[in-house]
Amino acid sequence: MQYSKTALAMALVAISLVACQRETVVTPAPAVVTVPGPAGATGATGATGDTGSTGNTGNTGSTGTAGSTGSTGAMGSTGATGSTGDTGATGDTGQRGKTGDTIVVVPAPTPQR
């Protein structure tokens, strides 16, 4: 434990000494100013450059193939005819009437008041 405390103390001393250093000021040398002389004669104009070659035009692409027309659908089947219904049963036959009987109709009596 003693060694770690000593190492820590030495690191703090080194940091504090570095923080106290003063910066060294460097004074720049004075700039030399040159005064230009009179302008010289204008130079000759240069020759015009050659025109470059025109590039080749590319080939036109091929047109695609047209698609096929689809097939026409088949006609549907005709439906089957329905079955004929059953014939109804014959009704009962009434009794044969009797001949020779006489029927007398008597009116109902009128109620009296």
Side-chain angles (χ1 to χ4, degrees), residues 3-110:
Y3 294 115
S4 64
K5 287 182 183 179
T6 304
L8 182 62
M10 291 182 80
L12 287 174
V13 169
I15 292 173
S16 63
L17 287 176
V18 170
C20 293
Q21 286 182 344
R22 294 181 183 229
E23 292 185 27
T24 306
V25 178
V26 178
T27 306
V32 177
V33 179
T34 56
V35 178
T42 305
T45 304
T48 304
D50 293 337
T51 304
S53 301
T54 304
N56 293 335
T57 304
N59 295 334
T60 304
S62 301
T63 304
T65 308
S68 302
T69 304
S71 302
T72 304
M75 169 115 34
S77 302
T78 305
T81 305
S83 303
T84 305
D86 293 335
T87 306
T90 305
D92 291 338
T93 307
Q95 292 180 349
R96 188 172 178 148
K98 296 181 183 180
T99 58
D101 293 338
T102 304
I103 298 176
V104 178
V105 177
V106 179
T110 326

